[in-house]
Amino acid sequence: MVYCTGVLHRQVPWKKLCGEIQQRCFHQSPIAYASGKVAMSKFDKAPLPYTKLEQNLQVIRKRLNRPLTLSEKVLYSHIDDPHNQEIERGVSYLRLRPDRVAMQDATAQMAMLQFISSGLPKVAVPSTIHCDHLIEAQVGGEQDLKRAKTQNEEVYKFLRSAGAKYGVGFWHPGSGIIHQIILENYAFPGLLMIGTDSHTPNGGGLGGLCIGVGGADAVDVMADIPWELKCPKVIGVRLDGALKGWSSPKDIILKVAGILTVKGGTGAIIEYHGPGIDNISCTGMGTICNMGAEIGATTSLFPYNKRMYDYLKSTLREDIAKEALKYQKSLLTPDEGCKYDQLIELDLNTLEPHINGPFTPDLAHPISKVGETAKKSGWPTEIKVSLIGSCTNSSYEDMARCASIAKEAMAHGIKSKTPFNVTPGSEQVRATIERDGIAQTLREFGGTVLANACGPCIGQWDRKDVKKGEKNTIVTSYNRNFTGRNDANPATHAFVTSPELVTALAIKGSLEFDPRYDELTGSDGKSFKLSDPFGDELPARGFDPGVDTYQPPPSDGSSLTVEVDPKSQRLQLLEPFDIWHGKDLEDLTILIKVKGKCTTDHISAAGPWLKFRGHLDNISNNMFLTATNAENGELNKVKNQLTGQYGAVPDVARAYKKAGVSWVAVGDENYGEGSSREHAALEPRHLGGRAIIVKSFARIHETNLKKQGLLPLTFDNPADYDKIQPTDKISITGLKGLAPGKPVIAKIKHADGKVEEIKLNHTMNEQQISWFQAGSALNRMKQIAASK
């Protein structure tokens, strides 16, 4: 009842207060309670799906007749047709029935606009919208939140009203980061959830398969259409021993990222197992799963254990914890003797703290080596800003351990040498660390407590201390550190590490510091060494819920209206993309040949562009702004083949579109890694793109391209990338016979008249080919609806 008593102090009418307590504290909805079943969350009527999952799994077991990994159990038990579904790791396309959908405010705009375009009256599965991306960090949490509510009211109003009309729960700005809210309220062992954010896998810390997708995939699930996923391979990570001293759960995933690289997990689920898992907190497991997105993994997962039980109990979901225990062996842990496609073994007893970066999250350095490596590499060793929090590391335990370091430093008369920014993951965490004095300790240390939002982690940071282009170093407990990711400064060297190490490094102000062995000098001139960090895993007094920030949808929103001003610069109703003309794509112009890393940040920048996420035409002005043009090595400078003049990439694309010239983009390895943002697929389609040809794709982006009717093609021979010149014309032939597993032929017509043919592969199945033929998945959905 801690959650309930947390609201008793409020001066509100007793009748209203009773209603709030009932809604927020009694986990079982009236329907679920009456049927004797446990509801999926305290906000849902739908019961936990364990009975159905067990039935499906029995069918699968008889068919496969072999031990199953945990991820196979959870995934296959959600198959739409378990009797007939083809199941082969890395080959089959599974048709699945997820339990719920979660959308953050930046991606929810386009997802809801697409859902509105579908003409459907209401979402078919429990769904929520979370306002966390549009709050810019400037001066502090309270002021920044107030400013964001004013600046983004048009968008928030749209999302609130769309949620109310179509049956989607709405978490107001200030409630917290989507993944933390999911962990605190919605995740449960055995869950299959899709979320329109790449770090959705955070829910694996509570034993759920939570998978990042684009908005069009969310529309499928909300429309009661089986969701497709290529049957993942399974990479096992066996953990032995226990973390010690300065090592933390973050170091596990930083180490794994160094082993697998940013694309090593592509097409696979990372499944953690072994005796070491019982020595990691639930939120620590969430940290590890969250950052699995940085190695390209479909998602990551831990088996159900007591640490998850304790977290569920602390967040007032002990009924779910008890129910999950009944299915622990059969559904929520791997079978003995199950086989993994790849196995990594880590001894936690000897795992050294890590710092990864700069510019890529898989460049792993043990703390003992990073200073030396930085000096040799010419990276600035002086730390300009230190930042803790984010969806990856903002738990109560994280904040408590950082506070223990800060307290010890201040006891010796010293504080953070750098600006120190703190991002609480949720309103519940913020309220609890305020109540328990942790937030005040961090402030006294020199910290600024920011809003419960993504903030600097996604580029929502009005940074003033360095000029753009000024070389500098920052350290964060975030997950992603691509060029310009945090502050839009390509010269910022961002390093990712644990919040504990961020705090320790902030005291010294340098990468050349190992808190395990190096000493600091107190204000009295005496040397001392920091003790190992410590902090309670869960608050002894329970969580304080803070301000109530949830708006449930009405039982019937059919009479409500959702209006979009035609003159709005933030929102724009969608027009259907054109249907394929039934012919080969002849003489496509090359808009850009990208050299090197090209993430979704490079294709569709975030930061100040987030405000246009609901307006496709306006946000298309950021397309490929920071991608490197292979022709000249420059950013946002390509040659207009019609005029011979160089211009910004979006401007040249618009000129081609106006002239009726279709184009293609060419890319390198792991094209589209990073965020799930479907705008990186929508923008090229909107501005006249027809195909993307690369050496290899990241999973989510490849799917997003398919959804929007673009052809995602890969070189059969990666060396053919070098054959393509900016002045070439490319024809993609054999499209009338486009079929699963059948390559297409591209004819490259060089400026001198010479023509070369190369083979291009694709991973489209029959349904995905129909999306291309219809012009988009949404167009195909409408065609099917019209034929019924």
Side-chain angles (χ1 to χ4, degrees), residues 526-547:
K526 296 180 180 179
S527 297
F528 72 98
K529 189 167 74 72
L530 290 169
S531 304
D532 293 344
F534 66 91
D536 289 337
E537 177 179 337
L538 297 164
R541 297 163 58 193
F543 283 104
D544 183 335
V547 178

Side-chain angles (χ1 to χ4, degrees), residues 634-654:
E634 296 191 51
L635 309 184
N636 200 30
K637 187 178 181 180
V638 296
K639 191 173 187 178
N640 184 326
Q641 301 299 328
L642 298 177
T643 66
Q645 301 298 310
Y646 281 88
V649 185
D651 294 342
V652 174
R654 287 187 185 278

Side-chain angles (χ1 to χ4, degrees), residues 2-3 184 314-315 395-397 399-400 424 426-440 452 537-547:
V2 175
Y3 206 114
E184 292 173 356
S314 185
T315 52
S395 68
Y396 183 86
E397 179 183 34
M399 297 298 173
S426 69
E427 170 61 11
Q428 181 165 275
V429 167
R430 183 210 63 78
T432 307
I433 65 172
E434 288 285 2
R435 182 199 67 194
D436 292 352
I438 293 172
Q440 184 57 30
N452 314 321
E537 177 179 337
L538 297 164
R541 297 163 58 193
F543 283 104
D544 183 335
V547 178

Side-chain angles (χ1 to χ4, degrees), residues 397-477:
E397 179 183 34
D398 289 330
M399 297 298 173
R401 284 168 64 88
C402 291
S404 76
I405 300 166
K407 278 184 178 179
E408 184 172 17
M410 290 190 291
H412 288 272
I414 57 176
K415 299 181 179 182
S416 176
K417 195 175 266 188
T418 73
F420 189 76
N421 292 329
V422 181
T423 304
S426 69
E427 170 61 11
Q428 181 165 275
V429 167
R430 183 210 63 78
T432 307
I433 65 172
E434 288 285 2
R435 182 199 67 194
D436 292 352
I438 293 172
Q440 184 57 30
T441 295
L442 296 176
R443 288 191 189 96
E444 292 171 359
F445 178 66
T448 299
V449 179
L450 302 174
N452 314 321
C454 300
C457 185
I458 60 163
Q460 285 285 55
W461 182 18
D462 186 21
R463 189 179 179 191
K464 302 290 189 184
D465 63 299
V466 297
K467 296 178 181 178
K468 193 167 185 177
E470 183 180 339
K471 197 173 178 180
N472 74 101
T473 284
I474 65 172
V475 291
T476 81
S477 68

Side-chain angles (χ1 to χ4, degrees), residues 131-147:
C131 295
D132 61 0
H133 270 57
L134 301 179
I135 304 169
E136 185 181 49
Q138 282 189 355
V139 293
E142 189 175 339
Q143 302 97 313
D144 293 346
L145 177 59
K146 184 177 180 180
R147 185 180 62 258

Side-chain angles (χ1 to χ4, degrees), residues 216-480:
D217 276 2
V219 172
D220 280 355
V221 177
M222 292 190 294
D224 203 26
I225 297 172
W227 173 61
E228 275 200 344
L229 176 72
K230 193 168 189 178
C231 189
K233 294 183 178 181
V234 187
I235 298 174
V237 179
R238 178 182 169 86
L239 303 179
D240 287 290
L243 295 165
K244 297 179 179 178
W246 284 86
S247 295
S248 73
K250 187 66 163 282
D251 297 304
I252 296 173
I253 186 57
L254 294 176
K255 177 70 173 179
V256 171
I259 294 169
L260 288 176
T261 77
V262 290
K263 64 177 184 176
T266 303
I269 293 174
I270 313 296
E271 184 174 311
Y272 294 85
H273 62 284
I277 63 172
D278 293 326
N279 299 315
I280 305 170
S281 67
C282 175
T283 51
M285 290 186 267
T287 292
I288 295 165
C289 292
N290 176 293
M291 204 175 156
E294 269 47 75
I295 52 179
T298 301
T299 192
S300 301
L301 185 67
F302 279 84
Y304 184 47
N305 65 3
K306 187 173 186 305
R307 308 300 278 269
M308 295 183 191
Y309 186 106
D310 292 343
Y311 184 77
L312 285 167
K313 182 179 179 181
S314 185
T315 52
L316 302 178
R317 293 176 287 169
E318 190 173 9
D319 51 349
I320 292 177
K322 289 179 178 178
E323 190 69 11
L325 278 178
K326 301 175 185 177
Y327 301 89
Q328 185 172 19
K329 182 173 176 57
S330 62
L331 180 64
L332 304 176
T333 51
D335 288 337
E336 188 174 345
C338 66
K339 302 297 183 184
Y340 297 101
D341 295 284
Q342 180 180 349
L343 182 63
I344 297 170
E345 299 187 70
L346 293 182
D347 181 2
L348 302 185
N349 294 318
T350 59
L351 181 64
E352 187 174 346
H354 274 62
I355 299 180
N356 287 22
F359 306 124
T360 184
D362 61 342
L363 188 56
H365 316 281
I367 182 64
S368 60
K369 304 290 185 184
V370 70
E372 177 186 347
T373 303
K375 289 176 71 175
K376 287 181 180 178
S377 304
W379 304 331
T381 57
E382 178 192 2
I383 298 168
K384 288 291 188 181
V385 185
S386 308
L387 307 99
I388 65 170
S390 85
C391 64
T392 315
N393 275 113
S394 58
S395 68
Y396 183 86
E397 179 183 34
D398 289 330
M399 297 298 173
R401 284 168 64 88
C402 291
S404 76
I405 300 166
K407 278 184 178 179
E408 184 172 17
M410 290 190 291
H412 288 272
I414 57 176
K415 299 181 179 182
S416 176
K417 195 175 266 188
T418 73
F420 189 76
N421 292 329
V422 181
T423 304
S426 69
E427 170 61 11
Q428 181 165 275
V429 167
R430 183 210 63 78
T432 307
I433 65 172
E434 288 285 2
R435 182 199 67 194
D436 292 352
I438 293 172
Q440 184 57 30
T441 295
L442 296 176
R443 288 191 189 96
E444 292 171 359
F445 178 66
T448 299
V449 179
L450 302 174
N452 314 321
C454 300
C457 185
I458 60 163
Q460 285 285 55
W461 182 18
D462 186 21
R463 189 179 179 191
K464 302 290 189 184
D465 63 299
V466 297
K467 296 178 181 178
K468 193 167 185 177
E470 183 180 339
K471 197 173 178 180
N472 74 101
T473 284
I474 65 172
V475 291
T476 81
S477 68
Y478 302 162
N479 43 43
R480 197 162 277 166

Side-chain angles (χ1 to χ4, degrees), residues 52-65:
K52 177 66 174 176
L53 300 184
E54 281 273 63
Q55 292 171 352
N56 287 351
L57 192 57
Q58 288 175 12
V59 175
I60 298 297
R61 282 191 181 282
K62 289 178 181 178
R63 289 183 56 201
L64 298 183
N65 193 30

